[in-house]
């Protein structure tokens, strides 16, 4: 876990120096395109993570919806676990911001805006959701088995288009998934990535009519920053097959 406070017997860092050191673990575009307010919030979450040594989950209501903030060590299964819980709780997603570090300790900071039946979550629902997130990340809550009782997770998703490329601006492997917005689609897409050992460090999610477009900025297997062309194409094909219900 990163030391985000001054070491014993050392000269305390200014907040600017502390922020600069913290930002060095993110992709280059992080400090350019992420507001200073969000950067400070993520630094505070990192400190809370350092103190508790467990996932930090915070929730608050905004404009009739609930904002869920999560800070944790990044890993390929993280989004699969998180979106599995959201799906199991029958929550609607209205927006997501995800900021992951590309260097050790590979922390990730996620901000989700969710609702249930168009309203913010009740106090009890928030407590249940927080507990479920912790249990799922700890491997206690079998979210895949739970969802398999409600959804056919092997059924083909409609009109799936998957492509892989290396982004010349952000200098990261990038995956584009375009698919019909249907029940369980978020979990299915996140699980397909996790099964290929891909770690998400940034995510753009767009809705257009009944379509959902995911743009994932990734670390490759073993947290690599680069990926050869043949591997990118193989991974894209594997993910497309998984989403179409074909065995890989």
């Amino acid at each position: 876990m990163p030391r985000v406070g001054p070491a014993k017997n050392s000269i305390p860092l200014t907040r600017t120096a502390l922020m600069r050191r913290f930002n060095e673990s993110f992709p280059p575009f992080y400090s350019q395109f992420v507001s200073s307010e969000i950067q400070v919030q993520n630094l505070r979450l990192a400190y809370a993570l350092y103190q508790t040594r467990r996932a930090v989950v915070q929730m608050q209501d905004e404009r009739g919806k609930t904002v869920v903030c999560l800070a944790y060590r990044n890993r390929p299964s993280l989004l699969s676990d998180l979106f599995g819980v959201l799906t199991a709780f029958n929550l609607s997603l209205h927006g997501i911001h995800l900021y992951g570090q590309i260097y050790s300790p590979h922390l990730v900071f996620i901000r989700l805006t969710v609702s249930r039946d168009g309203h913010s979550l009740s106090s009890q629902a928030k407590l249940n959701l927080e507990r479920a997130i912790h249990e799922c990340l700890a491997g206690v809550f079998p979210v895949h088995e739970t969802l398999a009782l409600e959804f056919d997770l092997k059924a083909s998703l409609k009109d799936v288009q998957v492509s892989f490329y290396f982004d010349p601006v952000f200098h990261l492997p990038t995956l584009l998934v375009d698919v019909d917005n249907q029940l369980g689609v978020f979990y299915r897409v996140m699980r397909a990535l996790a099964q290929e050992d891909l770690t998400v460090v940034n995510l753009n999610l767009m809705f257009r009519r009944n379509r959902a477009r995911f743009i994932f900025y990734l670390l490759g297997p073993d947290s690599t920053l680069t990926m050869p062309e043949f591997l990118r194409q193989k991974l894209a094909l594997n993910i497309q097959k998984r989403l179409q219900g074909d065995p890989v």
Side-chain angles (χ1 to χ4, degrees):
M1 193 65 60
R3 180 175 294 278
V4 295
K8 188 175 181 180
N9 299 324
S10 66
I11 300 174
L13 295 172
T14 65
R15 193 174 82 167
T16 300
L18 192 61
M19 184 70 69
R20 186 183 302 112
R21 177 180 294 183
F22 178 65
N23 287 354
E24 287 175 353
S25 291
F26 291 90
F29 60 83
Y30 175 77
S31 59
Q32 300 175 35
F33 298 108
V34 179
S35 70
S36 57
E37 180 182 357
I38 293 298
Q39 291 181 44
V40 170
Q41 180 188 51
N42 289 344
L43 180 61
R44 288 172 177 162
L45 289 170
Y47 186 62
L49 183 59
Y50 169 75
Q51 289 182 307
T52 62
R53 302 304 173 104
R54 67 194 299 258
V56 177
V57 181
Q58 299 178 354
M59 301 187 199
Q60 64 181 28
D61 292 340
E62 289 184 6
R63 302 183 183 92
K65 297 178 177 61
T66 298
V67 174
V68 182
C69 292
L70 169 69
Y72 198 48
R73 284 188 180 273
N74 210 349
R75 63 190 189 196
S77 63
L78 179 64
L79 287 183
S80 176
D81 289 341
L82 180 58
F83 276 84
V85 172
L86 298 181
T87 303
F89 273 69
N90 194 29
L91 301 182
S92 297
L93 177 69
H94 302 278
I96 178 171
H97 294 88
L98 186 152
Y99 311 105
Q101 296 176 334
I102 60 175
Y103 300 116
S104 182
H106 294 295
L107 303 183
V108 65
F109 305 88
I110 305 172
R111 177 184 172 94
L112 300 157
T113 303
V114 300
S115 70
R116 175 180 287 163
D117 299 325
H119 303 286
S120 58
L121 306 186
S122 66
S123 297
Q124 187 60 51
K126 291 174 186 173
L127 290 174
N128 292 340
L129 178 61
E130 181 177 355
R131 181 170 62 251
I133 291 173
H134 281 294
E135 290 180 350
C136 191
L137 295 177
V140 178
F141 175 28
V143 66
H144 185 73
E145 289 79 0
T146 300
L147 293 178
L149 298 175
E150 299 186 40
F151 303 100
D152 183 358
L153 297 177
K154 295 182 180 179
S156 175
L157 294 179
K158 297 178 181 178
D159 194 13
V160 180
Q161 299 174 22
V162 180
S163 59
F164 228 122
Y165 60 95
F166 190 82
D167 191 284
V169 177
F170 298 148
H171 306 290
L172 286 171
T174 306
L175 182 74
L176 173 64
V177 179
D178 199 89
V179 63
D180 276 1
N181 190 9
Q182 52 205 281
L183 289 175
V185 67
F186 296 103
Y187 175 70
R188 292 280 302 276
V189 170
M190 303 308 175
R191 181 170 170 79
L193 264 68
Q195 289 175 296
E196 296 299 330
D197 197 26
L198 298 172
T199 303
V200 181
V201 294
N202 197 262
L203 166 60
N204 290 330
L205 176 58
M206 295 168 281
F207 299 102
R208 184 180 179 186
R209 297 177 182 175
N210 293 324
R211 303 283 292 175
R213 171 170 288 186
F214 303 81
I215 303 176
F216 297 98
Y217 297 92
L218 302 160
L219 298 180
D222 299 322
S223 300
T224 55
L225 291 171
T226 59
M227 198 181 300
E229 176 67 19
F230 79 90
L231 182 57
R232 296 202 297 264
Q233 298 310 315
K234 178 183 177 182
L235 291 172
L237 181 60
N238 286 351
I239 290 169
Q240 179 143 347
K241 285 183 176 180
R242 291 186 191 281
L243 297 179
Q244 291 174 334
D246 297 333
V248 177

